[in-house]
Short mmCIF file of all heavy atoms in Angstrom, two decimals:
data_model
loop_
_atom_site.label_atom_id
_atom_site.label_comp_id
_atom_site.label_asym_id
_atom_site.label_seq_id
_atom_site.Cartn_x
_atom_site.Cartn_y
_atom_site.Cartn_z
N GLU A 134 -71.16 3.62 -0.19
CA GLU A 134 -71.87 2.39 -0.24
C GLU A 134 -71.11 1.36 0.60
O GLU A 134 -69.89 1.33 0.61
CB GLU A 134 -72.04 1.90 -1.66
CG GLU A 134 -72.89 2.85 -2.47
CD GLU A 134 -73.05 2.39 -3.92
OE1 GLU A 134 -72.97 1.16 -4.17
OE2 GLU A 134 -73.24 3.26 -4.76
N ALA A 135 -71.86 0.53 1.37
CA ALA A 135 -71.23 -0.46 2.19
C ALA A 135 -72.11 -1.70 2.27
O ALA A 135 -73.31 -1.65 2.10
CB ALA A 135 -71.01 0.09 3.62
N ALA A 136 -71.46 -2.84 2.49
CA ALA A 136 -72.15 -4.10 2.67
C ALA A 136 -71.70 -4.66 3.99
O ALA A 136 -70.56 -4.58 4.32
CB ALA A 136 -71.87 -5.03 1.50
N PRO A 137 -72.61 -5.25 4.75
CA PRO A 137 -74.02 -5.47 4.53
C PRO A 137 -74.85 -4.17 4.68
O PRO A 137 -74.42 -3.20 5.26
CB PRO A 137 -74.39 -6.50 5.58
CG PRO A 137 -73.47 -6.25 6.72
CD PRO A 137 -72.18 -5.79 6.05
N GLY A 138 -76.05 -4.24 4.09
CA GLY A 138 -76.93 -3.09 4.12
C GLY A 138 -77.34 -2.58 5.51
O GLY A 138 -77.74 -1.45 5.66
N ASP A 139 -77.28 -3.46 6.55
CA ASP A 139 -77.70 -3.08 7.85
C ASP A 139 -76.51 -2.47 8.68
O ASP A 139 -76.70 -2.14 9.83
CB ASP A 139 -78.35 -4.20 8.63
CG ASP A 139 -77.41 -5.37 8.92
OD1 ASP A 139 -76.28 -5.40 8.34
OD2 ASP A 139 -77.78 -6.26 9.72
N ALA A 140 -75.39 -2.34 8.04
CA ALA A 140 -74.20 -1.74 8.74
C ALA A 140 -74.50 -0.31 9.12
O ALA A 140 -75.13 0.42 8.33
CB ALA A 140 -72.97 -1.83 7.84
N GLN A 141 -74.11 0.10 10.29
CA GLN A 141 -74.32 1.47 10.76
C GLN A 141 -73.13 2.32 10.30
O GLN A 141 -71.97 1.96 10.44
CB GLN A 141 -74.45 1.52 12.25
CG GLN A 141 -75.73 0.86 12.78
CD GLN A 141 -75.85 0.95 14.26
OE1 GLN A 141 -74.93 0.71 15.00
NE2 GLN A 141 -77.03 1.37 14.70
N VAL A 142 -73.48 3.50 9.74
CA VAL A 142 -72.45 4.42 9.21
C VAL A 142 -72.40 5.66 10.14
O VAL A 142 -73.40 6.30 10.36
CB VAL A 142 -72.79 4.84 7.82
CG1 VAL A 142 -71.74 5.76 7.25
CG2 VAL A 142 -72.96 3.63 6.89
N PHE A 143 -71.16 5.92 10.61
CA PHE A 143 -70.91 7.10 11.49
C PHE A 143 -69.95 8.02 10.76
O PHE A 143 -68.97 7.59 10.17
CB PHE A 143 -70.28 6.65 12.78
CG PHE A 143 -71.16 5.78 13.68
CD1 PHE A 143 -71.22 4.44 13.44
CD2 PHE A 143 -71.91 6.31 14.65
CE1 PHE A 143 -72.02 3.61 14.23
CE2 PHE A 143 -72.69 5.55 15.49
CZ PHE A 143 -72.78 4.16 15.26
N LEU A 144 -70.24 9.32 10.81
CA LEU A 144 -69.34 10.31 10.30
C LEU A 144 -69.01 11.31 11.44
O LEU A 144 -69.94 11.87 12.02
CB LEU A 144 -69.96 11.08 9.15
CG LEU A 144 -69.09 12.18 8.51
CD1 LEU A 144 -67.87 11.55 7.81
CD2 LEU A 144 -69.84 13.01 7.52
N ASP A 145 -67.74 11.41 11.74
CA ASP A 145 -67.30 12.28 12.81
C ASP A 145 -68.02 11.97 14.14
O ASP A 145 -68.37 12.82 14.90
CB ASP A 145 -67.47 13.75 12.48
CG ASP A 145 -66.62 14.10 11.23
OD1 ASP A 145 -65.56 13.50 10.99
OD2 ASP A 145 -67.06 15.01 10.47
N GLY A 146 -68.28 10.66 14.40
CA GLY A 146 -68.90 10.24 15.64
C GLY A 146 -70.42 10.32 15.64
O GLY A 146 -71.04 9.87 16.56
N GLN A 147 -71.05 10.82 14.59
CA GLN A 147 -72.48 10.99 14.51
C GLN A 147 -73.05 9.86 13.63
O GLN A 147 -72.58 9.65 12.52
CB GLN A 147 -72.88 12.32 13.91
CG GLN A 147 -72.42 13.52 14.73
CD GLN A 147 -73.29 13.73 15.91
OE1 GLN A 147 -72.81 13.61 17.05
NE2 GLN A 147 -74.53 14.04 15.74
N LEU A 148 -74.05 9.17 14.08
CA LEU A 148 -74.76 8.15 13.26
C LEU A 148 -75.49 8.81 12.12
O LEU A 148 -76.33 9.68 12.29
CB LEU A 148 -75.73 7.36 14.13
CG LEU A 148 -76.53 6.27 13.37
CD1 LEU A 148 -75.63 5.21 12.85
CD2 LEU A 148 -77.52 5.68 14.36
N LEU A 149 -75.14 8.37 10.86
CA LEU A 149 -75.86 8.91 9.71
C LEU A 149 -77.04 8.02 9.32
O LEU A 149 -77.98 8.48 8.69
CB LEU A 149 -74.92 8.97 8.50
CG LEU A 149 -73.76 9.96 8.56
CD1 LEU A 149 -72.95 9.89 7.31
CD2 LEU A 149 -74.24 11.36 8.80
N GLY A 150 -76.95 6.72 9.61
CA GLY A 150 -77.99 5.75 9.24
C GLY A 150 -77.34 4.48 8.84
O GLY A 150 -76.13 4.26 9.05
N THR A 151 -78.13 3.60 8.26
CA THR A 151 -77.57 2.31 7.78
C THR A 151 -77.03 2.49 6.37
O THR A 151 -77.38 3.38 5.66
CB THR A 151 -78.60 1.22 7.83
OG1 THR A 151 -79.63 1.49 6.84
CG2 THR A 151 -79.23 1.00 9.19
N ALA A 152 -76.15 1.52 5.99
CA ALA A 152 -75.59 1.55 4.67
C ALA A 152 -76.69 1.49 3.63
O ALA A 152 -76.66 2.15 2.62
CB ALA A 152 -74.61 0.39 4.47
N GLY A 153 -77.73 0.66 3.89
CA GLY A 153 -78.84 0.53 2.97
C GLY A 153 -79.62 1.85 2.78
O GLY A 153 -80.01 2.18 1.70
N GLN A 154 -79.82 2.57 3.90
CA GLN A 154 -80.49 3.84 3.81
C GLN A 154 -79.70 4.91 3.05
O GLN A 154 -80.28 5.78 2.38
CB GLN A 154 -80.77 4.39 5.22
CG GLN A 154 -81.75 3.56 6.03
CD GLN A 154 -81.80 3.95 7.48
OE1 GLN A 154 -80.80 4.44 8.05
NE2 GLN A 154 -82.97 3.81 8.12
N LEU A 155 -78.37 4.83 3.13
CA LEU A 155 -77.53 5.84 2.55
C LEU A 155 -77.03 5.52 1.13
O LEU A 155 -76.49 6.37 0.46
CB LEU A 155 -76.27 6.06 3.46
CG LEU A 155 -76.59 6.59 4.85
CD1 LEU A 155 -75.35 6.51 5.74
CD2 LEU A 155 -77.15 7.99 4.80
N ALA A 156 -77.27 4.27 0.69
CA ALA A 156 -76.75 3.86 -0.61
C ALA A 156 -77.28 4.78 -1.76
O ALA A 156 -78.47 5.01 -1.85
CB ALA A 156 -77.17 2.40 -0.88
N GLY A 157 -76.33 5.23 -2.56
CA GLY A 157 -76.67 6.06 -3.68
C GLY A 157 -77.07 7.46 -3.35
O GLY A 157 -77.46 8.23 -4.20
N GLN A 158 -76.97 7.86 -2.07
CA GLN A 158 -77.34 9.22 -1.65
C GLN A 158 -76.09 10.04 -1.41
O GLN A 158 -75.08 9.54 -0.96
CB GLN A 158 -78.16 9.19 -0.38
CG GLN A 158 -79.52 8.59 -0.54
CD GLN A 158 -80.40 8.78 0.71
OE1 GLN A 158 -80.22 9.74 1.45
NE2 GLN A 158 -81.32 7.88 0.94
N ALA A 159 -76.23 11.34 -1.65
CA ALA A 159 -75.15 12.25 -1.32
C ALA A 159 -75.37 12.81 0.05
O ALA A 159 -76.48 13.04 0.49
CB ALA A 159 -75.12 13.39 -2.32
N VAL A 160 -74.33 12.91 0.82
CA VAL A 160 -74.33 13.46 2.16
C VAL A 160 -73.49 14.77 2.13
O VAL A 160 -72.31 14.69 1.88
CB VAL A 160 -73.83 12.51 3.23
CG1 VAL A 160 -73.82 13.14 4.60
CG2 VAL A 160 -74.66 11.23 3.23
N ALA A 161 -74.12 15.92 2.39
CA ALA A 161 -73.38 17.17 2.39
C ALA A 161 -72.53 17.26 3.63
O ALA A 161 -73.05 17.09 4.76
CB ALA A 161 -74.35 18.33 2.28
N ILE A 162 -71.25 17.55 3.47
CA ILE A 162 -70.38 17.76 4.62
C ILE A 162 -69.49 18.98 4.32
O ILE A 162 -69.32 19.44 3.22
CB ILE A 162 -69.46 16.54 4.86
CG1 ILE A 162 -68.64 16.19 3.64
CG2 ILE A 162 -70.32 15.32 5.27
CD1 ILE A 162 -67.62 15.08 3.89
N PHE A 163 -68.98 19.53 5.41
CA PHE A 163 -68.08 20.69 5.30
C PHE A 163 -66.70 20.22 4.81
O PHE A 163 -66.28 19.08 5.07
CB PHE A 163 -67.92 21.37 6.64
CG PHE A 163 -69.14 22.01 7.19
CD1 PHE A 163 -69.84 21.50 8.22
CD2 PHE A 163 -69.62 23.18 6.59
CE1 PHE A 163 -71.03 22.07 8.65
CE2 PHE A 163 -70.76 23.83 7.02
CZ PHE A 163 -71.46 23.25 8.06
N ALA A 164 -65.99 21.10 4.09
CA ALA A 164 -64.62 20.83 3.67
C ALA A 164 -63.75 20.68 4.90
O ALA A 164 -64.02 21.25 5.95
CB ALA A 164 -64.11 21.92 2.80
N GLY A 165 -62.76 19.79 4.80
CA GLY A 165 -61.87 19.59 5.91
C GLY A 165 -61.78 18.15 6.28
O GLY A 165 -62.25 17.24 5.60
N PRO A 166 -61.01 17.81 7.37
CA PRO A 166 -60.80 16.45 7.79
C PRO A 166 -62.06 15.86 8.42
O PRO A 166 -62.80 16.52 9.14
CB PRO A 166 -59.65 16.57 8.81
CG PRO A 166 -59.73 17.93 9.33
CD PRO A 166 -60.30 18.76 8.22
N HIS A 167 -62.26 14.56 8.10
CA HIS A 167 -63.38 13.83 8.66
C HIS A 167 -62.97 12.39 8.98
O HIS A 167 -61.98 11.87 8.44
CB HIS A 167 -64.57 13.78 7.67
CG HIS A 167 -65.10 15.13 7.40
ND1 HIS A 167 -66.03 15.73 8.19
CD2 HIS A 167 -64.87 16.00 6.35
CE1 HIS A 167 -66.33 16.93 7.70
NE2 HIS A 167 -65.66 17.10 6.58
N ALA A 168 -63.77 11.73 9.84
CA ALA A 168 -63.51 10.34 10.20
C ALA A 168 -64.83 9.60 9.88
O ALA A 168 -65.90 10.04 10.22
CB ALA A 168 -63.13 10.16 11.61
N ILE A 169 -64.72 8.42 9.26
CA ILE A 169 -65.88 7.60 8.96
C ILE A 169 -65.67 6.23 9.69
O ILE A 169 -64.53 5.74 9.77
CB ILE A 169 -66.09 7.41 7.49
CG1 ILE A 169 -67.45 6.70 7.22
CG2 ILE A 169 -64.93 6.71 6.80
CD1 ILE A 169 -67.91 6.76 5.80
N MET A 170 -66.73 5.69 10.22
CA MET A 170 -66.69 4.35 10.78
C MET A 170 -67.95 3.63 10.33
O MET A 170 -69.04 4.16 10.39
CB MET A 170 -66.65 4.43 12.32
CG MET A 170 -66.53 3.06 12.96
SD MET A 170 -66.22 3.10 14.74
CE MET A 170 -67.63 3.88 15.38
N ILE A 171 -67.75 2.38 9.94
CA ILE A 171 -68.89 1.54 9.53
C ILE A 171 -68.81 0.26 10.32
O ILE A 171 -67.81 -0.42 10.38
CB ILE A 171 -68.82 1.23 8.00
CG1 ILE A 171 -68.77 2.54 7.24
CG2 ILE A 171 -69.97 0.34 7.55
CD1 ILE A 171 -68.51 2.40 5.76
N VAL A 172 -69.94 -0.04 11.00
CA VAL A 172 -69.98 -1.12 12.00
C VAL A 172 -71.16 -2.05 11.73
O VAL A 172 -72.28 -1.62 11.50
CB VAL A 172 -70.15 -0.53 13.44
CG1 VAL A 172 -70.15 -1.64 14.45
CG2 VAL A 172 -69.02 0.44 13.70
N SER A 173 -70.87 -3.36 11.74
CA SER A 173 -71.91 -4.35 11.63
C SER A 173 -71.42 -5.66 12.26
O SER A 173 -70.83 -6.48 11.60
CB SER A 173 -72.29 -4.61 10.17
OG SER A 173 -73.34 -5.59 10.10
N PRO A 174 -71.66 -5.80 13.60
CA PRO A 174 -71.20 -7.02 14.24
C PRO A 174 -71.78 -8.27 13.59
O PRO A 174 -72.95 -8.17 13.16
CB PRO A 174 -71.68 -6.88 15.70
CG PRO A 174 -71.96 -5.42 15.85
CD PRO A 174 -72.30 -4.90 14.50
N PRO A 175 -71.06 -9.32 13.43
CA PRO A 175 -69.76 -9.60 13.98
C PRO A 175 -68.58 -9.25 13.04
O PRO A 175 -67.47 -9.71 13.29
CB PRO A 175 -69.83 -11.12 14.22
CG PRO A 175 -70.64 -11.60 13.07
CD PRO A 175 -71.65 -10.51 12.81
N ALA A 176 -68.81 -8.48 12.02
CA ALA A 176 -67.77 -8.10 11.12
C ALA A 176 -66.73 -7.15 11.77
O ALA A 176 -67.05 -6.45 12.73
CB ALA A 176 -68.31 -7.49 9.83
N GLU A 177 -65.52 -7.11 11.20
CA GLU A 177 -64.53 -6.21 11.67
C GLU A 177 -64.96 -4.75 11.28
O GLU A 177 -65.30 -4.56 10.13
CB GLU A 177 -63.20 -6.56 10.98
CG GLU A 177 -62.01 -5.89 11.57
CD GLU A 177 -61.64 -6.44 12.94
OE1 GLU A 177 -61.80 -7.67 13.19
OE2 GLU A 177 -61.20 -5.62 13.79
N PRO A 178 -64.99 -3.78 12.18
CA PRO A 178 -65.41 -2.46 11.82
C PRO A 178 -64.38 -1.81 10.84
O PRO A 178 -63.24 -2.11 10.87
CB PRO A 178 -65.45 -1.70 13.11
CG PRO A 178 -64.82 -2.53 14.15
CD PRO A 178 -64.66 -3.92 13.59
N PHE A 179 -64.91 -0.93 10.00
CA PHE A 179 -64.08 -0.19 9.08
C PHE A 179 -63.95 1.25 9.58
O PHE A 179 -64.99 1.85 9.93
CB PHE A 179 -64.74 -0.18 7.66
CG PHE A 179 -64.08 0.76 6.70
CD1 PHE A 179 -62.97 0.36 5.97
CD2 PHE A 179 -64.57 2.07 6.53
CE1 PHE A 179 -62.36 1.21 5.09
CE2 PHE A 179 -63.96 2.93 5.65
CZ PHE A 179 -62.85 2.50 4.95
N THR A 180 -62.75 1.77 9.66
CA THR A 180 -62.53 3.14 10.02
C THR A 180 -61.53 3.76 9.05
O THR A 180 -60.66 3.10 8.57
CB THR A 180 -61.98 3.29 11.44
OG1 THR A 180 -60.79 2.58 11.56
CG2 THR A 180 -62.95 2.71 12.51
N ALA A 181 -61.76 5.03 8.75
CA ALA A 181 -60.87 5.74 7.87
C ALA A 181 -60.97 7.22 8.11
O ALA A 181 -62.04 7.68 8.63
CB ALA A 181 -61.18 5.43 6.41
N GLN A 182 -59.92 7.93 7.76
CA GLN A 182 -59.96 9.38 7.85
C GLN A 182 -59.74 9.92 6.41
O GLN A 182 -59.01 9.31 5.65
CB GLN A 182 -58.91 9.90 8.79
CG GLN A 182 -59.19 9.47 10.24
CD GLN A 182 -58.24 10.07 11.24
OE1 GLN A 182 -57.44 10.94 10.94
NE2 GLN A 182 -58.38 9.66 12.48
N PHE A 183 -60.39 11.02 6.12
CA PHE A 183 -60.25 11.59 4.81
C PHE A 183 -60.45 13.11 4.90
O PHE A 183 -60.96 13.61 5.91
CB PHE A 183 -61.27 11.02 3.78
CG PHE A 183 -62.68 11.31 4.12
CD1 PHE A 183 -63.33 12.37 3.49
CD2 PHE A 183 -63.39 10.55 5.03
CE1 PHE A 183 -64.68 12.65 3.80
CE2 PHE A 183 -64.71 10.83 5.32
CZ PHE A 183 -65.36 11.88 4.71
N THR A 184 -60.01 13.85 3.86
CA THR A 184 -60.20 15.27 3.86
C THR A 184 -61.10 15.59 2.65
O THR A 184 -60.79 15.29 1.51
CB THR A 184 -58.81 15.99 3.66
OG1 THR A 184 -58.01 15.62 4.76
CG2 THR A 184 -59.03 17.48 3.62
N ALA A 185 -62.24 16.22 3.01
CA ALA A 185 -63.20 16.60 1.97
C ALA A 185 -62.75 17.96 1.40
O ALA A 185 -62.33 18.88 2.12
CB ALA A 185 -64.59 16.78 2.58
N LYS A 186 -62.78 18.06 0.06
CA LYS A 186 -62.35 19.30 -0.59
C LYS A 186 -63.59 19.92 -1.28
O LYS A 186 -64.39 19.21 -1.84
CB LYS A 186 -61.28 19.01 -1.63
CG LYS A 186 -60.03 18.43 -1.02
CD LYS A 186 -58.96 18.17 -2.01
CE LYS A 186 -57.75 17.61 -1.29
NZ LYS A 186 -56.71 17.20 -2.22
N PRO A 187 -63.72 21.25 -1.23
CA PRO A 187 -64.87 21.87 -1.83
C PRO A 187 -64.95 21.57 -3.33
O PRO A 187 -63.94 21.65 -4.07
CB PRO A 187 -64.61 23.38 -1.63
CG PRO A 187 -63.47 23.48 -0.68
CD PRO A 187 -62.75 22.17 -0.67
N GLY A 188 -66.16 21.21 -3.77
CA GLY A 188 -66.40 20.98 -5.20
C GLY A 188 -65.93 19.60 -5.70
O GLY A 188 -66.07 19.35 -6.85
N PHE A 189 -65.40 18.80 -4.84
CA PHE A 189 -64.93 17.47 -5.24
C PHE A 189 -65.63 16.40 -4.38
O PHE A 189 -65.35 16.25 -3.22
CB PHE A 189 -63.39 17.32 -5.06
CG PHE A 189 -62.62 18.17 -5.98
CD1 PHE A 189 -62.20 19.44 -5.58
CD2 PHE A 189 -62.30 17.73 -7.25
CE1 PHE A 189 -61.47 20.24 -6.43
CE2 PHE A 189 -61.58 18.55 -8.15
CZ PHE A 189 -61.17 19.81 -7.72
N PRO A 190 -66.54 15.63 -4.99
CA PRO A 190 -67.24 14.56 -4.22
C PRO A 190 -66.22 13.49 -3.78
O PRO A 190 -65.27 13.17 -4.47
CB PRO A 190 -68.22 13.99 -5.21
CG PRO A 190 -68.10 14.76 -6.48
CD PRO A 190 -66.96 15.72 -6.37
N THR A 191 -66.49 12.93 -2.60
CA THR A 191 -65.74 11.83 -2.08
C THR A 191 -66.63 10.62 -1.99
O THR A 191 -67.70 10.72 -1.35
CB THR A 191 -65.16 12.15 -0.67
OG1 THR A 191 -64.35 13.33 -0.76
CG2 THR A 191 -64.39 10.99 -0.13
N ARG A 192 -66.27 9.55 -2.61
CA ARG A 192 -67.13 8.38 -2.62
C ARG A 192 -66.36 7.25 -1.85
O ARG A 192 -65.17 7.06 -2.10
CB ARG A 192 -67.32 7.91 -4.06
CG ARG A 192 -68.57 7.15 -4.29
CD ARG A 192 -68.81 7.11 -5.76
NE ARG A 192 -69.95 7.88 -6.04
CZ ARG A 192 -71.04 7.41 -6.64
NH1 ARG A 192 -71.04 6.19 -7.07
NH2 ARG A 192 -72.06 8.17 -6.82
N ILE A 193 -67.09 6.55 -1.02
CA ILE A 193 -66.47 5.47 -0.22
C ILE A 193 -67.30 4.21 -0.46
O ILE A 193 -68.49 4.21 -0.29
CB ILE A 193 -66.41 5.86 1.28
CG1 ILE A 193 -65.58 7.12 1.47
CG2 ILE A 193 -65.90 4.69 2.11
CD1 ILE A 193 -65.54 7.67 2.85
N HIS A 194 -66.58 3.13 -0.86
CA HIS A 194 -67.20 1.84 -1.05
C HIS A 194 -66.53 0.87 -0.10
O HIS A 194 -65.29 0.74 -0.06
CB HIS A 194 -67.01 1.32 -2.50
CG HIS A 194 -67.65 2.23 -3.50
ND1 HIS A 194 -68.92 2.07 -3.91
CD2 HIS A 194 -67.18 3.29 -4.21
CE1 HIS A 194 -69.23 2.97 -4.78
NE2 HIS A 194 -68.19 3.73 -5.00
N VAL A 195 -67.32 0.12 0.71
CA VAL A 195 -66.74 -0.76 1.69
C VAL A 195 -67.53 -2.06 1.76
O VAL A 195 -68.74 -2.04 1.74
CB VAL A 195 -66.80 -0.09 3.14
CG1 VAL A 195 -66.31 -1.05 4.18
CG2 VAL A 195 -65.97 1.17 3.13
N ALA A 196 -66.82 -3.19 1.85
CA ALA A 196 -67.43 -4.47 2.15
C ALA A 196 -66.75 -4.96 3.42
O ALA A 196 -65.56 -5.19 3.42
CB ALA A 196 -67.21 -5.48 0.99
N LEU A 197 -67.51 -5.05 4.50
CA LEU A 197 -66.95 -5.46 5.80
C LEU A 197 -66.55 -6.95 5.72
O LEU A 197 -67.24 -7.79 5.17
CB LEU A 197 -67.95 -5.24 6.89
CG LEU A 197 -68.35 -3.77 7.09
CD1 LEU A 197 -69.39 -3.69 8.20
CD2 LEU A 197 -67.13 -2.92 7.43
N ALA A 198 -65.38 -7.23 6.38
CA ALA A 198 -64.86 -8.59 6.39
C ALA A 198 -65.24 -9.23 7.74
O ALA A 198 -65.22 -8.59 8.78
CB ALA A 198 -63.36 -8.59 6.25
N ALA A 199 -65.51 -10.55 7.68
CA ALA A 199 -65.81 -11.25 8.93
C ALA A 199 -64.57 -11.30 9.83
O ALA A 199 -63.46 -11.32 9.36
CB ALA A 199 -66.30 -12.68 8.58
N ARG A 200 -64.83 -11.34 11.15
CA ARG A 200 -63.65 -11.42 12.07
C ARG A 200 -63.10 -12.79 12.04
O ARG A 200 -63.61 -13.78 11.86
CB ARG A 200 -64.14 -11.10 13.47
CG ARG A 200 -64.41 -9.66 13.62
CD ARG A 200 -64.82 -9.33 15.04
NE ARG A 200 -65.22 -7.92 15.07
CZ ARG A 200 -65.33 -7.23 16.17
NH1 ARG A 200 -65.06 -7.75 17.32
NH2 ARG A 200 -65.71 -5.96 16.15
#
């Protein structure tokens, strides 16, 4: 989940959709390392790397900060 709702969410460089579209939804991904980026100008973009483990959901909550 991310705010604002119109923020674009990228996983491993691929656009998944907006934060509003993805809120409360599960996104199936392969186990292993991944990179997430959430962008909504003029806010500072959020980037993080994480490792998905089989059978363990990973939840990410982000509120973008103004520049």
Side-chain angles (χ1 to χ4, degrees):
E134 296 180 27
D139 65 348
Q141 292 183 312
V142 180
F143 295 84
L144 181 67
D145 300 329
Q147 299 283 116
L148 177 63
L149 294 180
T151 66
Q154 293 169 330
L155 298 170
Q158 292 190 28
V160 176
I162 59 174
F163 293 107
H167 296 278
I169 188 167
M170 181 170 64
I171 303 173
V172 181
S173 181
E177 195 69 37
F179 170 84
T180 58
Q182 295 188 8
F183 65 97
T184 301
K186 297 180 181 176
F189 292 95
T191 301
R192 208 166 248 238
I193 299 174
H194 298 271
V195 175
L197 298 178
R200 288 184 186 196

